[in-house]
Amino acid sequence: MATEIQWLGHNAWAIQAGEFRLLLDPFLNDNPLSPKKANQVEADFILVSHGHGDHIGDTVEIAARTGATVIGIFEVCQWLLAHGVKNVHAMNLGGSYTFPFGRLTMTLALHSSSMPDGSYAGNPCGFILAREEGTVYFACDTALFSDMKLIGAVGLDLAAVPIGDNYTMGPADALEAVRLLKPRRVVPIHNGTWPIIAQDADRWACQVHAETGVEALVLQPGGMIVL
Ligand code: NI
Ligand code: MN
């Protein structure tokens, strides 16, 4: 069973996990990097890392059209239910659950969170997705934190880490994150969406490989990784 992970720019991902279609942080319509609009994607499950508009994105619209189950932290799920989303699965930090598409763990993220209307959104999070083909860590919006060492201890085939700076960790801290996570491969995200988070991802990737030996892949929007 293949696992195909497609980057839609920023922290938006479309994941084909065997027969299941997943979206993570589907910020599509207002995402200048996304090759797809909200009405062009399908989903059985939508993972949401936190309430900020560039992550919750088009979740409500896509869930309404597809009937997808939205997975997020408790407070985000409560808000989604109040905004017409029918199917949610609430989790919280440190919790894991075995979904039909694989085992998902909700991890710590050092960031803030509120819904686009200002509602309380609980804590932000990242995700570890474990499937037979491999284990992927989506750091999502976060600062560097030393517990990334514990996250890496599970053995990561792939990690997606922000390098954009300003709203999340920047290139130097993201390099440190790679040292803690020790993934087999790493992908930089949350950069280039707007000038304020523009970074030289290729230069970062070269530096990561030179200093850690980890294979760093720079994806173009729409680019895909197969586990
Ligand atoms: Ni954010
Ligand atoms: Mn963000």
Side-chain angles (χ1 to χ4, degrees):
M1 296 261 271
T3 305
E4 296 171 351
I5 304 174
Q6 183 185 32
W7 188 52
L8 301 177
H10 208 57
N11 191 44
W13 297 90
I15 303 163
Q16 185 75 40
E19 63 185 290
F20 298 99
R21 299 158 301 183
L22 281 57
L23 295 171
L24 167 59
D25 286 355
F27 167 57
L28 306 178
N29 287 346
D30 294 333
N31 177 353
L33 296 182
S34 178
K36 288 182 179 172
K37 295 297 178 194
N39 62 9
Q40 298 175 304
V41 292
E42 294 301 328
D44 301 301
F45 294 90
I46 302 172
L47 283 56
V48 175
S49 68
H50 64 295
H52 292 160
D54 59 322
H55 296 261
I56 196 101
D58 307 298
T59 296
V60 171
E61 174 188 332
I62 298 167
R65 178 172 54 80
T66 63
T69 296
V70 185
I71 302 168
I73 207 153
F74 176 77
E75 290 81 358
V76 167
C77 287
Q78 291 298 111
W79 186 89
L80 289 169
L81 286 172
H83 286 75
V85 173
K86 296 275 184 290
N87 305 309
V88 300
H89 182 114
M91 298 180 70
N92 217 314
L93 301 181
S96 299
Y97 186 82
T98 302
F99 290 91
F101 58 80
R103 189 157 174 85
L104 190 70
T105 301
M106 184 171 270
T107 64
L108 167 69
L110 208 51
H111 191 64
S112 66
S113 188
S114 56
M115 304 310 301
D117 63 3
S119 299
Y120 178 62
N123 288 319
C125 73
F127 292 102
I128 300 169
L129 171 61
R131 281 176 51 79
E132 209 174 286
E133 297 85 25
T135 299
V136 187
Y137 169 51
F138 296 96
C140 303
D141 279 13
T142 188
L144 176 66
F145 54 92
S146 59
D147 284 2
M148 284 181 177
K149 191 175 177 184
L150 298 176
I151 291 171
V154 304
L156 301 173
D157 297 285
L158 179 67
V161 300
I163 67 163
D165 220 342
N166 193 76
Y167 301 117
T168 65
M169 59 186 170
D173 280 358
L175 171 62
E176 208 50 47
V178 174
R179 287 199 176 94
L180 295 171
L181 293 165
K182 298 189 192 333
R184 195 161 63 79
R185 296 187 283 183
V186 66
V187 185
I189 51 117
H190 214 276
N191 86 98
T193 322
W194 308 289
I196 194 170
I197 55 170
Q199 300 294 340
D200 188 336
D202 291 312
R203 186 163 161 264
W204 181 82
C206 287
Q207 194 184 5
V208 164
H209 190 254
E211 296 195 19
T212 69
V214 172
E215 184 186 352
L217 306 168
V218 177
L219 293 175
Q220 297 307 310
M224 184 145 359
I225 296 173
V226 179
L227 278 194

